Amino acid sequence: MLEELKQKVYEANMELPKRNLVTYTWGNVSEIDREKGVFVIKPSGVNYEDLKPEDMVVMDLDGNRVEGRYNPSTDTATHLELYKAFPEIGGVVHTHSPWATVWAQAGRSIPSYGTTHADYFYGEIPCARSLTPEEIEEAYEKNTGKVIIEAFVDKNPMYVPGVLCTNHGPFTWGKDAAGAVYNAVVLEEVAKMAHYTEMIRPDVTPIPKPLMDKHFLRKHGANAYYGQK
Amino acid sequence: MLEELKQKVYEANMELPKRNLVTYTWGNVSEIDREKGVFVIKPSGVNYEDLKPEDMVVMDLDGNRVEGRYNPSTDTATHLELYKAFPEIGGVVHTHSPWATVWAQAGRSIPSYGTTHADYFYGEIPCARSLTPEEIEEAYEKNTGKVIIEAFVDKNPMYVPGVLCTNHGPFTWGKDAAGAVYNAVVLEEVAKMAHYTEMIRPDVTPIPKPLMDKHFLRKHGANAYYGQK
Amino acid sequence: MLEELKQKVYEANMELPKRNLVTYTWGNVSEIDREKGVFVIKPSGVNYEDLKPEDMVVMDLDGNRVEGRYNPSTDTATHLELYKAFPEIGGVVHTHSPWATVWAQAGRSIPSYGTTHADYFYGEIPCARSLTPEEIEEAYEKNTGKVIIEAFVDKNPMYVPGVLCTNHGPFTWGKDAAGAVYNAVVLEEVAKMAHYTEMIRPDVTPIPKPLMDKHFLRKHGANAYYGQK
Amino acid sequence: MLEELKQKVYEANMELPKRNLVTYTWGNVSEIDREKGVFVIKPSGVNYEDLKPEDMVVMDLDGNRVEGRYNPSTDTATHLELYKAFPEIGGVVHTHSPWATVWAQAGRSIPSYGTTHADYFYGEIPCARSLTPEEIEEAYEKNTGKVIIEAFVDKNPMYVPGVLCTNHGPFTWGKDAAGAVYNAVVLEEVAKMAHYTEMIRPDVTPIPKPLMDKHFLRKHGANAYYGQK
């Protein structure tokens, strides 16, 4: 069952080391099948070199393992919260990719300084607040999802498909696992460039709104004209 | 028709990922055949891994597609403006290469700090002004070309074969597509080194003119003596 | 004798160039067999391309070469001090990996700014004090071990499996040679991210203790739940 | 004639792109045969991918081409000055390797901040003064050699086997071409680490002399004990 979805999730996971987003096992990708009410995720702590499609773990939306011999990623409860709160998303990625992680460690949202950012993220990429000691103690991974959702109370998650978790690292998402990985790659590039932009011009201000609108909307929405569709 | 030119433009495009100047589809190269009055450019949003010489799109100088099953790059109108304004150039490149892009995001021209810069760019690499909201709305890609041309009103585009577009990224050019890619590689290297030069010495000043002249002119012009010609 | 241990130490050494932790011969790995009272270490100044398992050098705990045609690493006396002082450790690594080395050159301990650090190092990674001229003169490599041990007088070396030596570079350790190399990779990544975290937010403070505890303890100790065990 | 020397110089040149020290043709290596009174150097502006051992150019010590169908490197006159002034050296390298070049562009000597530097360079790596307009005009490449030599009036070139040329880039040397390339690799690594050391600790001071002496002298001179000799 779900062989095709396992294959897709496996391939999306394998993109992470290929794109230099993970060291060792520091990342995981999942994708949901909303009709069947299950999602498929990387097993916990398994090396990418050893990973096989059949190692992927199938979870239901109550957080129970439906299939698979391995434990799922420790971050599974975070993925689950995001799938429940954001009905438009189909895939989720977590990494410790260095540039996104340093912004997370600094506890700063990433300002939009250019069209590379605006092509994929409409406005700043928010840094979710720290968890309280009680939230960490009670249900760390689930509450990580909760504070992410809190940061999106006034944002469309399809317009800003990623977030930073303070002192931790990024989560991104997309219409499927491959799309979520794509956004993880973009986030890493954008995070790097935002840092150097601030170094080259400490008083830099964000991209003007008309240019941001132009770039985001030529790639997204009803009037998009980028690409072949 | 134009099989040789398509092949050259294809090969020049494939240099971009090989030289680490593009992530995903974030770049495009074109070359013009001035006798025939057409130019060949990368199709929009096609992955480099999938690209083939026959996918290249042939455009005329009124911006009409003459041949090819794909839409041309969304930046085609910018290339066209540059070909019309700068009769000496034969190839144009656009990328979001990170170091050039951070200077563009900072809205700063790149000072000439050394002979690596002076070997290929005679003086600073200008950052073109921001487009007005009206210019963005009216014809974004064409007006991007217009503000570039405005930045070269007092410059020889063959002496300074590249530019930064504020909040966006670089364009470079050359006598053909391969030459434009070469200049894109140089620009990226020069942009990186200019940043670190300023970090190592915040009060650094540009290269003295006699040294700049020596290096540019030993590679370019009537008295050049670099290489085998 | 000890063919298996030599093979393991050889493989651990070969991870250093593969993981971009060494230039030329600037690193060495050892592993101890505590029952037999010997440890195996890389020979001094031999290129990684030329290294073979049988080139590994066997040393006893008095610092005598027991087997091997080559001189052992010049840092052998430091490894030996660590094995004697820290009975829980089974492997030791020394490199000049650039990010750890720049913190060592700066003479600064690396603060814990995030969960990547907290997953493997419980609290800051200390920078051991400089050796006195007398300590350098008397027995440089042995006394390098002594000042490391001094920096751990109030620390558990299994909770903080690495150190910086002022003006020099890092040492890491672990339960075996492979574990020590793993920690060298983590240290390098953490050192890089700590620097950029400080650049992005100069007034950044270390990770809150509850989050540090959560991450370290979900991977280490009796209640760990990361991975498949 | 000199087939063996051409082969060695060819191989040393090919190390430059392999070690990421050159972009395109921005580097050259030579080696001298002092008995025969000739040196062999890379031809000017030839791509590394196309380079063959038989393309190397043989020069005499008056700067005349003795053998070879290509023009020698434009920097040949600088190499020649160094061979004449420093009788102990056997090989010379010039590159625009980025980290050494940014220090050159900043016009700063590289302080010795750690043992990586001290293992190969005894004290700071000097930045030679700018050439005067007259010196540039009169004989640029030869006078580049002259200002390097001026910077070594109180230094032993075998103890400090490299230099920065202001607004330009580095030259290194060694007992032969391979040794000069080795020092170019070390210089690049040391230049990078010196920059980040200053970023991590703006008030950092150079390595204490006893530690510098210990490291340089355990690798060089009569009492060296590093390696297998």
Side-chain angles (χ1 to χ4, degrees):
Chain A
M1 126 179 189
L2 294 168
E3 298 316 308
E4 196 181 339
L5 186 58
K6 285 182 195 170
Q7 181 68 30
K8 284 178 68 181
V9 172
Y10 164 75
E11 288 174 9
N13 271 288
M14 294 308 287
E15 278 285 290
L16 299 185
K18 188 183 154 198
R19 295 280 178 180
N20 296 316
L21 297 184
V22 299
T23 300
Y24 292 122
T25 62
W26 309 349
N28 44 72
V29 184
S30 71
E31 182 171 318
I32 194 167
D33 181 329
R34 291 201 182 262
E35 284 194 18
K36 296 204 174 79
V38 295
F39 66 102
V40 169
I41 192 164
K42 180 177 179 291
S44 180
V46 174
N47 284 317
Y48 284 97
E49 303 95 90
D50 304 327
L51 207 60
K52 292 185 291 292
E54 59 265 35
D55 298 337
M56 299 298 115
V57 184
V58 184
M59 304 293 295
D60 70 20
L61 298 185
D62 298 318
N64 300 310
R65 179 168 54 178
V66 174
E67 195 186 304
R69 63 195 170 106
Y70 285 121
N71 299 333
S73 163
T74 47
D75 300 303
T76 299
T78 312
H79 290 240
L80 178 52
E81 288 305 303
L82 298 179
Y83 285 129
K84 290 199 288 191
F86 301 155
E88 311 91 329
I89 72 175
V92 173
V93 171
H94 172 54
T95 76
H96 289 220
S97 67
W99 285 105
T101 298
V102 295
W103 284 87
Q105 292 191 163
R108 286 189 59 195
S109 303
I110 304 175
S112 181
Y113 288 132
T115 61
T116 317
H117 185 126
D119 279 337
Y120 301 98
F121 292 85
Y122 189 70
E124 71 172 21
I125 300 165
C127 187
R129 69 165 174 82
S130 294
L131 277 68
T132 64
E134 294 71 30
E135 287 167 337
I136 291 171
E137 174 67 22
E138 187 236 341
Y140 173 58
E141 291 84 3
K142 179 180 174 178
N143 288 331
T144 295
K146 294 288 189 196
V147 299
I148 292 173
I149 294 157
E150 194 182 310
F152 278 76
V153 67
D154 60 352
K155 283 187 204 302
N156 179 342
M158 294 310 280
Y159 271 40
V160 181
V163 71
L164 307 176
C165 294
T166 299
N167 293 121
H168 187 177
F171 283 83
T172 58
W173 45 82
K175 68 178 175 21
D176 55 17
V181 170
Y182 191 106
N183 289 330
V185 172
V186 175
L187 169 56
E188 185 66 3
E189 192 73 6
V190 159
K192 175 179 70 181
M193 295 203 297
H195 165 61
Y196 287 114
T197 300
E198 294 189 349
M199 298 302 288
I200 289 175
R201 183 169 200 153
D203 66 345
V204 66
T205 51
I207 187 173
K209 187 161 187 308
L211 185 58
M212 178 172 95
D213 284 353
K214 180 68 190 178
H215 268 265
F216 191 79
L217 299 172
R218 79 177 185 175
K219 285 210 168 184
H220 304 268
N223 298 314
Y225 58 92
Y226 182 91
Q228 300 302 331
K229 281 153 295 188
Chain B
M1 127 181 189
L2 294 167
E3 299 315 309
E4 197 181 338
L5 187 57
K6 285 182 195 170
Q7 181 68 30
K8 284 179 68 180
V9 172
Y10 165 76
E11 288 175 9
N13 271 287
M14 294 308 287
E15 277 286 290
L16 298 184
K18 188 183 153 198
R19 295 279 178 181
N20 296 315
L21 297 184
V22 300
T23 299
Y24 292 121
T25 61
W26 310 348
N28 45 71
V29 185
S30 70
E31 182 170 318
I32 194 167
D33 182 328
R34 291 200 181 263
E35 285 193 17
K36 297 206 175 77
V38 295
F39 65 102
V40 170
I41 192 164
K42 180 177 178 292
S44 179
V46 173
N47 283 316
Y48 283 97
E49 303 96 89
D50 304 327
L51 206 61
K52 293 185 291 293
E54 59 265 35
D55 299 337
M56 300 298 115
V57 185
V58 184
M59 305 293 295
D60 70 20
L61 298 185
D62 298 318
N64 300 310
R65 179 167 55 179
V66 176
E67 193 184 304
R69 62 193 171 108
Y70 285 121
N71 299 332
S73 165
T74 47
D75 301 303
T76 299
T78 312
H79 292 239
L80 178 51
E81 289 305 304
L82 298 179
Y83 286 129
K84 291 198 286 191
F86 301 154
E88 312 91 328
I89 73 174
V92 172
V93 171
H94 172 54
T95 76
H96 289 219
S97 68
W99 285 105
T101 299
V102 296
W103 283 88
Q105 292 191 162
R108 286 188 58 195
S109 303
I110 304 175
S112 181
Y113 287 132
T115 61
T116 317
H117 184 125
D119 279 337
Y120 301 98
F121 293 85
Y122 189 70
E124 72 172 21
I125 300 165
C127 186
R129 70 164 173 83
S130 294
L131 277 69
T132 64
E134 294 71 30
E135 287 168 335
I136 291 170
E137 174 67 22
E138 187 237 340
Y140 173 60
E141 290 84 3
K142 179 180 174 178
N143 288 331
T144 294
K146 294 287 190 196
V147 298
I148 291 172
I149 294 158
E150 193 182 308
F152 278 77
V153 67
D154 59 351
K155 284 187 202 302
N156 178 342
M158 295 311 280
Y159 271 41
V160 181
V163 71
L164 307 175
C165 294
T166 299
N167 293 122
H168 187 178
F171 282 82
T172 59
W173 46 82
K175 66 178 176 19
D176 54 16
V181 170
Y182 191 105
N183 289 331
V185 172
V186 175
L187 170 56
E188 185 66 3
E189 193 71 7
V190 159
K192 176 179 70 180
M193 295 203 298
H195 165 61
Y196 287 113
T197 300
E198 294 189 348
M199 298 300 289
I200 288 175
R201 184 169 200 154
D203 66 345
V204 66
T205 52
I207 188 173
K209 187 160 187 311
L211 185 58
M212 178 174 92
D213 284 352
K214 179 68 189 176
H215 267 264
F216 191 78
L217 298 172
R218 79 176 186 174
K219 285 210 167 184
H220 303 269
N223 298 313
Y225 58 92
Y226 182 92
Q228 300 301 331
K229 285 153 291 188
Chain C
M1 128 179 186
L2 293 168
E3 298 316 307
E4 195 181 340
L5 187 58
K6 284 183 195 170
Q7 181 68 31
K8 284 178 69 181
V9 172
Y10 165 75
E11 288 175 9
N13 271 288
M14 295 308 287
E15 276 286 290
L16 298 184
K18 188 184 153 197
R19 296 279 178 180
N20 296 314
L21 296 183
V22 300
T23 299
Y24 292 122
T25 62
W26 309 348
N28 44 71
V29 185
S30 71
E31 182 171 317
I32 193 168
D33 181 327
R34 291 201 181 261
E35 284 192 18
K36 296 203 176 80
V38 296
F39 66 101
V40 170
I41 193 163
K42 180 178 178 292
S44 180
V46 174
N47 283 317
Y48 284 97
E49 303 94 89
D50 304 327
L51 206 61
K52 293 186 292 293
E54 59 265 34
D55 298 337
M56 300 299 115
V57 185
V58 185
M59 304 293 295
D60 69 20
L61 299 185
D62 297 319
N64 301 309
R65 179 167 54 178
V66 174
E67 194 186 304
R69 61 194 172 107
Y70 284 121
N71 299 333
S73 164
T74 47
D75 301 303
T76 298
T78 312
H79 291 240
L80 177 52
E81 289 305 303
L82 297 179
Y83 285 128
K84 290 199 287 190
F86 302 155
E88 313 90 327
I89 72 175
V92 173
V93 171
H94 172 53
T95 76
H96 289 219
S97 67
W99 286 105
T101 299
V102 295
W103 284 87
Q105 292 192 163
R108 286 189 58 196
S109 303
I110 304 176
S112 180
Y113 288 132
T115 61
T116 317
H117 185 125
D119 279 337
Y120 301 98
F121 291 85
Y122 190 70
E124 71 173 20
I125 300 164
C127 187
R129 70 165 173 82
S130 294
L131 276 68
T132 64
E134 293 71 30
E135 287 167 336
I136 292 170
E137 174 67 22
E138 187 237 340
Y140 173 59
E141 291 84 2
K142 178 180 175 179
N143 288 331
T144 295
K146 294 287 190 196
V147 298
I148 293 173
I149 294 158
E150 193 182 310
F152 278 77
V153 67
D154 59 352
K155 283 187 202 303
N156 178 343
M158 294 310 280
Y159 270 40
V160 181
V163 71
L164 307 176
C165 294
T166 298
N167 292 122
H168 186 177
F171 283 83
T172 59
W173 46 80
K175 67 178 176 19
D176 55 16
V181 171
Y182 191 106
N183 289 330
V185 172
V186 175
L187 170 56
E188 184 67 2
E189 192 72 7
V190 159
K192 175 180 70 180
M193 295 202 297
H195 165 60
Y196 287 114
T197 300
E198 294 189 348
M199 298 301 288
I200 288 176
R201 184 170 199 153
D203 65 345
V204 66
T205 52
I207 188 172
K209 187 160 187 309
L211 185 58
M212 178 172 93
D213 284 353
K214 180 69 190 177
H215 268 264
F216 191 79
L217 298 173
R218 80 177 186 175
K219 285 208 169 183
H220 304 269
N223 298 313
Y225 59 91
Y226 182 90
Q228 300 301 332
K229 283 153 291 189
Chain D
M1 131 179 186
L2 294 167
E3 298 315 308
E4 196 181 340
L5 186 58
K6 284 182 194 171
Q7 181 68 30
K8 283 178 70 181
V9 172
Y10 165 76
E11 288 174 10
N13 271 288
M14 294 308 287
E15 276 286 290
L16 299 185
K18 187 184 154 198
R19 295 279 178 181
N20 296 314
L21 297 184
V22 300
T23 299
Y24 292 122
T25 62
W26 308 349
N28 44 72
V29 185
S30 70
E31 183 171 318
I32 194 167
D33 181 329
R34 291 202 181 261
E35 287 193 13
K36 297 205 174 78
V38 295
F39 65 102
V40 169
I41 192 164
K42 181 178 177 291
S44 180
V46 174
N47 284 316
Y48 283 98
E49 303 96 88
D50 304 326
L51 206 61
K52 292 186 291 292
E54 59 264 35
D55 298 337
M56 300 299 115
V57 184
V58 184
M59 304 293 296
D60 70 20
L61 298 185
D62 298 318
N64 301 309
R65 180 167 54 178
V66 175
E67 192 185 305
R69 61 192 172 110
Y70 285 120
N71 298 332
S73 165
T74 47
D75 302 303
T76 298
T78 313
H79 291 240
L80 178 51
E81 289 305 304
L82 298 179
Y83 286 128
K84 290 198 288 191
F86 302 155
E88 313 91 327
I89 73 174
V92 173
V93 171
H94 172 54
T95 76
H96 290 218
S97 67
W99 286 105
T101 300
V102 295
W103 284 88
Q105 292 191 162
R108 286 188 58 195
S109 303
I110 304 176
S112 181
Y113 287 133
T115 60
T116 317
H117 185 125
D119 279 337
Y120 301 97
F121 292 85
Y122 189 70
E124 72 172 20
I125 299 164
C127 187
R129 70 164 174 83
S130 294
L131 277 68
T132 64
E134 293 71 30
E135 286 167 337
I136 292 171
E137 175 65 24
E138 187 238 338
Y140 172 60
E141 292 83 3
K142 179 180 175 179
N143 287 332
T144 294
K146 294 286 191 197
V147 298
I148 293 173
I149 294 157
E150 192 182 310
F152 278 76
V153 67
D154 60 353
K155 284 187 204 300
N156 178 342
M158 294 311 279
Y159 270 41
V160 181
V163 72
L164 307 176
C165 293
T166 298
N167 293 122
H168 186 176
F171 282 82
T172 59
W173 45 80
K175 66 179 176 22
D176 55 17
V181 170
Y182 191 105
N183 289 330
V185 172
V186 175
L187 169 56
E188 184 66 3
E189 192 73 6
V190 160
K192 176 180 69 179
M193 295 202 299
H195 165 61
Y196 287 114
T197 300
E198 294 188 349
M199 298 301 287
I200 288 176
R201 185 169 198 154
D203 66 344
V204 66
T205 52
I207 188 172
K209 187 159 187 310
L211 185 58
M212 179 174 93
D213 284 352
K214 180 69 190 177
H215 268 264
F216 191 78
L217 299 173
R218 79 177 186 175
K219 285 210 168 182
H220 303 269
N223 297 313
Y225 59 91
Y226 182 92
Q228 301 301 332
K229 285 152 290 190

